[in-house]
Amino acid sequence: MSCKIHAENSDSIIERCWPAGVKKTHQRIDIFLILYHADEPLSAADIFDKLNMTAPKEKYAFSTVYRNLLAFEKVGIVTKTTLSTEDNAVYELKKSSHKHYAVCTKCHKKIPIKTCPLHDISAAVKDSLPGFEITGHQLEILGICNDCKNK
């Protein structure tokens, strides 16, 4: 692994978290690790910038990042979302549970909501839509974060 973003425990992260049946390439591993360590969903451009900042000797093509994100999405290890405050889709690794975000309309910071407020609503909606199978939901709360309020 040539990319500097790899921490000492990257091998164990890959060993523990890499999805079965997905070919390991150094590009995929680098993208996976960026998503693994991200505190918020990232756009393909964000990932591209992080890769090229941390591994300047090995330039990544934007098409490589995008193609690998599509491959990850296809096998179900990333979630692709379009937030109202973003021009492009954002991606995050699917972990044990899904996340919702409060998004600052000034700085575009994404703050994770600790619990899913839609579980009870989903059950009520399901009861009112016989035969409709709910496969997911999205929630985005817009507002102004503390940092922007205090400026």
Side-chain angles (χ1 to χ4, degrees), residues 55-67:
K57 290 182 183 176
E58 183 177 342
K59 290 289 184 188
Y60 285 82
F62 184 78
S63 60
T64 300
V65 173
Y66 190 71
R67 188 174 52 253

Side-chain angles (χ1 to χ4, degrees), residues 79-136:
T79 301
K80 177 182 176 181
T81 307
T82 304
L83 301 173
S84 62
T85 58
E86 298 287 330
D87 293 332
N88 299 308
V90 293
Y91 301 84
E92 67 183 325
L93 284 182
K94 284 186 182 177
K95 296 188 179 168
S96 58
S97 63
H98 66 281
K99 291 182 185 175
H100 299 292
Y101 293 91
V103 182
C104 180
T105 55
K106 288 191 175 190
C107 69
H108 304 284
K109 179 190 222 177
K110 297 157 206 76
I111 305 157
I113 300 170
K114 293 181 193 244
T115 61
C116 176
L118 294 178
H119 282 300
D120 294 337
I121 295 170
S122 292
V125 169
K126 187 174 183 175
D127 291 342
S128 69
L129 295 170
F132 185 80
E133 180 183 350
I134 297 174
T135 59

